[in-house]
Amino acid sequence: GVALSFFSCSLKDSSTKHPHMDLETLKKPLRGVLHNSRRILHKLRIPIRIHGVWILSHELRSETILRKIFNRLYEIDEISEILPRLQEDDVVLELGAAIGVVTCAMAKKVRKGKVLAFEPNFVIAELCERHLRLNSVDNVELRRSVLGLVEGTTKFYVAPDYWSSSLTKSADLNEIECKVERLESTLSYLRPSVVVMDIEGGEYELLNSDHFLQCNSIKQIFIEFHPVREIELQLEQIEGRMKGFSSSVPFKAMLHMLQEGKQPTVVFTRL
């Protein structure tokens, strides 16, 4: 950290001496060095740090996801939206914990609160558990299941790039069976103040119920939306359901982004 601070100061001095060179241009070589250093640690099977969270990148096989990690872009939208808004006593319900980067970052922020996280992919959930231990967070409960409107079991489809795994049937993906816990019961038991949702299209069914609106302990809901069929109709229904919340992104803008294939992170705040 000291070395990087010194390097940063040197860059500022250099930009002063050479006014035709802007600071961002001078920082580019440093970004390359840091990227390569993370790759070296990865190959040596040494934990690397991203967003203040230590992770075992060598346990991952997806080059697409690893590139995001090495460039510090992994979950950057969620992290930048969620962390500044959390209070230390918040109770967080997280749907789609994945490897636990956002989970660990939130747990460190809500030291007097707790996080209940759900991740149905057994292999990724095991890595998430290891990351919880590696980062010494003890205020997280991880459940290897999904939340739904009806209790039971369901099929879950696992993709090589695990962040594309979902409940949507696909002949190209590995099929596993997972437990479904009732959303209504979980909200009643946990009384969360914050909900975080990144479930690859599964958000629409849950949001089109009345459960979030009726759970008056919820102050904020953070959702990464995903393109699905009949997206305009889906958003119209959600807009009607979420009248008791303000949205950080207007629904028309959200629709436009989703139609372009983007995945906007949206914050709903109770009015």
Side-chain angles (χ1 to χ4, degrees):
V2 174
L4 291 178
S5 298
F6 177 78
F7 195 88
S8 180
C9 291
S10 298
L11 288 177
K12 291 178 182 177
D13 291 342
S14 297
S15 63
T16 302
K17 294 175 182 177
H18 305 281
H20 61 284
M21 299 181 68
D22 63 87
L23 191 57
E24 284 304 311
T25 300
L26 290 167
K27 282 183 178 179
K28 286 180 181 178
L30 177 59
R31 291 196 186 101
V33 169
L34 293 176
H35 178 280
N36 291 333
S37 69
R38 292 187 194 102
R39 277 203 174 271
I40 292 170
L41 293 173
H42 167 78
K43 290 179 180 179
L44 293 173
R45 302 176 67 84
I46 296 172
I48 65 176
R49 198 164 183 253
I50 177 172
H51 310 315
V53 175
W54 293 102
I55 64 169
L56 304 169
S57 66
H58 55 271
E59 297 289 349
L60 299 172
R61 299 292 175 264
S62 168
E63 187 60 33
T64 301
I65 292 174
L66 286 171
R67 278 198 300 271
K68 289 280 189 180
I69 290 172
F70 297 147
N71 287 314
R72 293 180 57 80
L73 297 175
Y74 180 81
E75 303 286 27
I76 186 65
D77 291 338
E78 292 84 348
I79 290 285
S80 60
E81 289 285 359
I82 297 168
L83 290 193
R85 292 179 166 91
L86 288 181
Q87 304 297 316
E88 64 177 4
D89 59 348
D90 272 326
V91 175
V92 182
L93 172 62
E94 182 187 23
L95 311 186
I99 62 172
V101 172
V102 177
T103 315
C104 288
M106 292 192 300
K108 292 181 178 185
K109 188 73 181 287
V110 298
R111 284 296 186 187
K112 294 182 179 179
K114 60 183 177 180
V115 179
L116 174 60
F118 287 79
E119 176 51 57
N121 184 335
F122 297 157
V123 175
I124 295 303
E126 174 59 33
L127 184 55
C128 181
E129 290 274 16
R130 293 173 67 185
H131 287 155
L132 295 176
R133 293 192 295 270
L134 180 63
N135 288 276
S136 302
V137 294
D138 57 6
N139 57 343
V140 176
E141 178 186 350
L142 178 65
R143 297 186 183 178
R144 302 184 184 194
S145 53
V146 298
L147 278 182
L149 302 182
V150 180
E151 187 176 343
T153 60
T154 190
K155 304 296 184 184
F156 187 76
Y157 299 89
V158 179
D161 292 337
Y162 63 78
W163 56 22
S164 298
S165 302
S166 74
L167 295 169
T168 303
K169 185 174 182 178
S170 174
D172 299 328
L173 303 182
N174 293 329
E175 178 186 295
I176 64 172
E177 189 170 274
C178 66
K179 179 181 177 182
V180 181
E181 299 186 40
R182 284 183 69 218
L183 172 64
E184 184 179 12
S185 300
T186 302
L187 292 176
S188 178
Y189 141 74
L190 184 66
R191 305 294 297 168
S193 56
V194 174
V195 177
V196 176
M197 203 182 308
D198 184 1
I199 50 177
E200 305 303 317
E203 61 271 16
Y204 297 97
E205 180 183 14
L206 298 185
L207 287 172
N208 273 318
S209 72
D210 290 324
H211 299 312
F212 291 112
L213 190 61
Q214 292 173 352
C215 182
N216 56 23
S217 64
I218 297 175
K219 299 182 298 184
Q220 291 185 309
I221 305 175
F222 299 85
I223 305 173
E224 181 178 279
F225 279 93
H226 302 82
V228 295
R229 294 178 181 176
E230 299 182 339
I231 184 61
E232 188 169 1
L233 175 61
Q234 296 273 17
L235 285 182
E236 284 179 3
Q237 292 174 342
I238 291 172
E239 185 176 15
R241 295 278 187 185
M242 301 296 285
K243 290 294 186 183
F245 291 81
S246 65
S247 173
S248 64
V249 180
F251 277 89
K252 286 185 179 179
M254 203 186 309
L255 174 62
H256 182 68
M257 287 186 279
L258 288 164
Q259 288 173 334
E260 289 183 338
K262 297 177 181 177
Q263 299 179 357
T265 297
V266 181
V267 185
F268 292 97
T269 303
R270 188 178 291 274
L271 297 171

